[in-house]
Amino acid sequence: NAGVTQTPKFRVLKTGQSMTLLCAQDMNHEYMYWYRQDPGMGLRLIHYSVGEGTTAKGEVPDGYNVSRLKKQNFLLGLESAAPSQTSVYFCASSGRNAGGYTFGSGTRLTVV
Amino acid sequence: GQQLNQSPQSMFIQEGEDVSMNCTSSSIFNTWLWYKQDPGEGPVLLIALYKAGELTSNGRLTAQFGITRKDSFLNISASIPSDVGIYFCAGLNSGGYQKVTFGIGTKLQVIP
């Protein structure tokens, strides 16, 4: 079982460039999430989706956009990258029961 | 919004020692979760607690759901080098999209 797969694993961007992070899950989960993890800050929710075609803002949504065109995929976009977006990004998914999240292995993004 | 206070934020212990960490909240949760994040990986669910007062074990790990529903603790007995990582507590209230609130994490380092 692949679980939650994130691509790419590493990326370096120049300020102002754009990119898309891809998250794919094979567990038929309804809910998907994007988090960023920074030292001393824990995990902060960027955006989430409760189903195909739906998205919503989390705690720190500014500078990011998301799309969920297919149930299994959740894309995170950075339209104009800034150094403040240097972080490790995690995607997670969950089903309808209260069993917690399954996380991907993360994407380490550096914006220079 | 809800906040989780997790302590300690970091700890160094000798191999073989027992470890205890805890999490407190300003409001109640229906479910408490404990995750472990290995270096370079995403968090992995260790233990889920669903009832106030519940005590659950998973190998050398034991976690409890506080009676007030505002706290939880995790104990690791007889630590080993592979216990190294960041441990996150998380609170969840069912209903809606399963919004999970994460603690800031406890970074554990084990000295052989």
Side-chain angles (χ1 to χ4, degrees):
Chain A
N1 289 335
V4 177
T5 303
Q6 290 184 236
T7 52
K9 292 190 182 300
F10 303 93
R11 185 73 185 267
V12 178
L13 285 180
K14 293 183 179 179
T15 298
Q17 285 185 320
S18 64
M19 77 164 293
T20 300
L21 281 66
L22 172 65
C23 177
Q25 53 97 2
D26 62 1
M27 297 169 286
N28 201 34
H29 281 168
E30 290 294 326
Y31 311 129
M32 297 187 75
Y33 316 85
W34 276 107
Y35 283 87
R36 60 177 290 174
Q37 184 178 29
D38 303 291
M41 304 289 286
L43 292 160
R44 292 184 292 170
L45 182 64
I46 304 171
H47 286 280
Y48 64 95
S49 168
V50 300
E52 182 178 314
T54 72
T55 63
K57 294 180 180 180
E59 295 175 65
V60 289
D62 294 342
Y64 305 95
N65 57 75
V66 288
S67 65
R68 190 150 178 221
L69 300 179
K70 293 183 178 181
K71 185 178 183 180
Q72 64 267 35
N73 296 336
F74 195 28
L75 278 63
L76 177 71
L78 286 73
E79 290 187 349
S80 179
S84 61
Q85 293 177 304
T86 293
S87 187
V88 181
Y89 291 86
F90 288 100
C91 176
S93 70
S94 66
R96 291 186 183 277
N97 60 359
Y101 296 176
T102 299
F103 282 87
S105 58
T107 295
R108 185 174 296 275
L109 175 66
T110 302
V111 182
V112 297
Chain B
Q2 294 174 320
Q3 291 188 332
L4 293 185
N5 296 308
Q6 187 172 351
S7 64
Q9 290 194 21
S10 66
M11 44 194 320
F12 286 82
I13 60 169
Q14 292 284 344
E15 182 177 357
E17 287 184 344
D18 297 344
V19 176
S20 183
M21 56 192 80
N22 67 76
C23 217
T24 59
S25 170
S26 56
S27 52
I28 64 174
F29 287 107
N30 294 330
T31 300
W32 279 93
L33 307 164
W34 284 93
Y35 287 85
K36 183 195 177 192
Q37 183 180 25
D38 289 326
E41 297 294 329
V44 174
L45 183 65
L46 296 173
I47 293 178
L49 302 158
Y50 300 105
K51 295 181 183 178
E54 179 181 352
L55 186 71
T56 297
S57 294
N58 178 5
R60 293 178 296 106
L61 278 62
T62 302
Q64 184 159 28
F65 191 144
I67 293 291
T68 65
R69 296 167 65 192
K70 292 184 178 183
D71 63 325
S72 178
F73 72 76
L74 175 71
N75 286 341
I76 305 172
S77 63
S79 59
I80 59 178
S82 62
D83 290 334
V84 165
I86 302 176
Y87 292 79
F88 290 99
C89 63
L92 166 66
N93 283 321
S94 56
Y97 72 94
Q98 290 201 14
K99 180 183 177 186
V100 172
T101 302
F102 286 92
I104 200 167
T106 294
K107 186 174 183 179
L108 177 64
Q109 302 194 53
V110 179
I111 303 168

